[in-house]
Amino acid sequence: MSVTVRFAPSPTGFIHIGNVRTALFNWLYALKNDGQFVLRYDDTDIARSKAEYAEQIAKDLNWLGVKPHRVEYQSKRMANYDEAAQRLKDAGLLYPCYETADELERRRKIRLGRKLPPLYGREALKLTDEEKAAFEAEGRKPHWRFLLPNFENDPFTTKRTEIVFEDAVRGRQAVDLASMSDPVLIREDGTYLYTLPSVVDDIEMGVTHIIRGDDHVTNTGAQIALFEAMGATAPQFGHHNLLTTISGEGLSKRTGALSIKSLEEGGYEPMAVNSLAVLIGTSENVSAVPDMKALAELFDITSTTKSAAKFDPAELDGLNETLVHALTFDDVKERLSAAGVDVADERAKDFWTLIVKNLKKVSDAGDWWPIIANGKASDAVLEGDDLEFASDAFDALPEGPVDNQTWKQWTDALKASSGRKGRGLFMPLRIALTGRAWGPELADLLPLLGREEILARRP
Ligand code: GLU
């Protein structure tokens, strides 16, 4: 069977690492199974959906390396939903209800008071045509509920009706359709809630696997019933655990914190984000995986744990650093240029080799380039004995070409002449040469600077 998956974000904010976990689970599943990935904007909520968010989602996915085979907007498929809704109405499976929110709340309280589950009692099914017409004449508009198949002949006498599905992550799940109210599929203003468009699209787009967050497990029972009511077989489901912040709160699109956009702007490597988003909350160790293909090999949906996983942004820094250290000059040339490094300069490639081990982010190289190319920084200054020692030390710079032996020869000579060693010896030289108290290997820095430039840095 060919595999088709979908990622169905609502474009109501910037997507975060938790949303991307869902996208990546789907993407990797498709990759592993030679399947198709549909990006389907769940944008039926016209008031909250924005084109700018949809565009950003496309950019974010592209940056991460997720390349949809097909892109769909639910807002452009209303005719399909209208048609499906009409079929359900004709079959008596979608029925109009006129209760206001207050009326429903009052009934709910009465039921609770009688120690009954607060379910919708299907009162609207009893309305006569005259009663409906009277509501309409009053100006009331109906909302529409899907009649769950949880009864034999009489919808007012429900019976335990288990919908059982084998979840790729959570194993066998059973939901009793008699334990829930008939879901509202169409609001009073005629707009669709997520359920119907989602099921219609899953059928029409040939979705074979629905991989999504486990906040949707409880929706699945009614959705499977809806698939069947529309004459289709439900796809396979896999509900993965959600990510929370370190303090256990859910991630929110609203705050923009940890949005993929902010991580990109913060200079993170996409594969650092992907590695963490996919491997956290699984039995696999979280490690820095260099590319999507390797990540697909590690990915196994069944190794996802059931409980929520805490996401620590600090972990991202470590993964990022590991990935950055493995990058070659050619990998980063364009980004170095954007960070202000003159990549056409003959020293640029050696500069990268020198500096890469000191970097947490590629863009940080932009900070070091002027120090190497133009002159030292002034972050650290020399004083007193250290200043005197460093200044004199330049007289002892070994003769001849400066190469990777020069540092050792120079410092051996200085050790003997000054009696200084360790930090007391190296730090004044480091500060004299770079203007910083930390940085790249000085043995490698010297040949890059060259004799003239070294001597010009005498304090
Ligand atoms: N827009 C829904 C969400 O982001 C899609 C749920 C689904 O995948 O069925 O939660």
Side-chain angles (χ1 to χ4, degrees):
M1 178 183 66
S2 65
V3 164
T4 299
V5 294
R6 87 296 196 277
F7 173 51
S10 34
T12 54
F14 295 126
I15 54 170
H16 52 61
I17 188 143
N19 305 123
V20 150
R21 178 174 177 80
T22 307
L24 288 164
F25 270 45
N26 280 287
W27 176 247
L28 295 172
Y29 197 84
L31 216 57
K32 273 188 112 107
N33 294 286
D34 208 8
Q36 297 284 304
F37 175 102
V38 182
L39 167 60
R40 189 172 77 207
Y41 291 108
D42 175 354
D43 60 350
T44 51
D45 183 347
I46 310 284
R48 291 176 59 226
S49 300
K50 294 214 165 69
E52 88 175 86
Y53 292 133
E55 278 159 29
Q56 190 60 46
I57 289 170
K59 276 191 210 153
D60 290 345
L61 293 179
N62 183 56
W63 177 66
L64 293 169
V66 173
K67 320 269 180 192
H69 299 96
R70 174 173 172 187
V71 181
E72 296 283 355
Y73 292 81
Q74 292 196 317
S75 57
K76 296 183 185 158
R77 295 177 43 80
M78 289 301 168
N80 301 54
Y81 312 141
D82 292 346
E83 200 255 329
Q86 193 55 52
R87 270 195 287 137
L88 291 170
K89 287 177 190 173
D90 293 346
L93 296 177
L94 192 58
Y95 61 97
C97 306
Y98 292 86
E99 295 91 346
T100 63
D102 282 348
E103 281 163 356
L104 289 173
E105 183 54 24
R106 220 174 310 132
R107 273 195 216 149
R108 209 179 74 89
K109 282 199 180 127
I110 293 171
R111 276 183 163 262
L112 283 173
R114 292 191 194 141
K115 304 243 180 309
L116 291 169
L119 299 178
Y120 179 61
R122 292 179 166 155
E123 289 82 355
L125 274 184
K126 294 183 181 146
L127 293 175
T128 62
D129 287 347
E130 289 72 37
E131 284 167 324
K132 289 181 204 169
F135 278 133
E136 303 266 349
E138 237 176 63
R140 287 206 203 189
K141 293 259 180 301
H143 55 275
W144 296 78
R145 288 188 191 259
F146 170 50
L147 186 64
L148 289 172
N150 54 9
F151 57 92
E152 212 133 335
N153 300 310
D154 173 14
F156 301 101
T157 313
T158 59
K159 62 162 198 174
R160 186 170 177 83
T161 311
E162 267 196 355
I163 295 261
V164 177
F165 63 98
E166 198 58 43
D167 190 285
V169 179
R170 303 164 63 88
R172 184 181 179 276
Q173 305 284 306
V175 192
D176 175 15
L177 291 184
S179 71
M180 54 182 89
S181 299
D182 288 340
V184 176
L185 301 190
I186 309 177
R187 297 185 191 88
E188 233 168 67
D189 62 3
T191 59
Y192 291 99
L193 281 99
Y194 137 86
T195 310
L196 178 84
S198 177
V199 170
V200 168
D201 286 351
D202 289 336
I203 295 172
E204 294 183 6
M205 295 171 192
V207 170
T208 58
H209 294 75
I210 294 182
I211 302 172
R212 59 186 176 186
D214 61 17
D215 50 339
H216 286 290
V217 173
T218 49
N219 296 336
T220 306
Q223 285 177 15
I224 291 178
L226 191 53
F227 274 104
E228 287 170 2
M230 295 205 285
T233 312
Q236 283 176 28
F237 289 89
H239 290 95
H240 63 73
N241 53 358
L242 300 182
L243 302 187
T244 69
T245 63
I246 277 292
S247 51
E249 293 148 46
L251 304 178
S252 160
K253 271 188 202 163
R254 244 154 298 153
T255 60
L258 295 175
S259 69
I260 300 306
K261 181 172 185 274
S262 71
L263 296 176
E264 178 179 4
E265 287 166 359
Y268 286 97
E269 299 302 305
M271 281 311 297
V273 179
N274 291 342
S275 301
L276 188 57
V278 169
L279 298 177
I280 195 172
T282 70
S283 54
E284 203 61 54
N285 284 332
V286 175
S287 61
V289 185
D291 58 59
M292 209 57 111
K293 207 168 150 271
L295 192 55
E297 269 155 35
L298 278 181
F299 170 72
D300 172 7
I301 193 166
T302 63
S303 80
T304 314
T305 51
K306 287 188 191 145
S307 53
K310 286 192 172 150
F311 162 76
D312 181 2
E315 220 173 326
L316 202 52
D317 290 323
L319 296 173
N320 202 70
E321 200 169 333
T322 307
L323 291 172
V324 168
H325 292 182
L327 294 173
T328 66
F329 179 66
D330 286 330
D331 292 334
V332 293
K333 211 165 160 182
E334 247 168 70
R335 289 153 73 196
L336 287 182
S337 178
V341 175
D342 178 5
V343 292
D345 189 296
E346 55 176 11
R347 294 166 295 179
K349 195 168 175 182
D350 288 339
F351 160 75
W352 175 251
T353 313
L354 171 76
I355 211 69
V356 61
K357 295 281 179 283
N358 287 90
L359 302 180
K360 290 189 162 57
K361 310 247 175 89
V362 169
S363 53
D364 295 343
D367 243 19
W368 280 101
W369 175 250
I371 297 176
I372 308 299
N374 309 331
K376 59 181 147 182
S378 49
D379 300 346
V381 281
L382 289 165
E383 286 168 340
D385 285 355
D386 281 348
L387 175 59
E388 202 177 319
F389 160 72
S391 182
D392 292 348
F394 282 73
D395 290 331
L397 185 68
E399 297 293 325
V402 179
D403 56 27
N404 56 7
Q405 292 306 307
T406 307
W407 173 251
K408 180 157 187 340
Q409 291 160 5
W410 191 20
T411 50
D412 280 350
L414 291 171
K415 248 182 239 170
S417 62
S418 69
R420 284 185 180 239
K421 56 183 176 24
R423 198 180 150 85
L425 173 70
F426 306 137
M427 190 53 81
L429 298 177
R430 175 179 287 290
I431 295 174
L433 289 165
T434 66
R436 278 192 174 168
W438 63 280
E441 287 292 336
L442 294 168
D444 300 328
L445 174 70
L446 294 186
L448 189 65
L449 290 177
R451 171 174 300 276
E452 209 177 310
E453 181 61 29
I454 294 170
L455 291 175
R457 294 185 181 208
R458 178 200 284 263

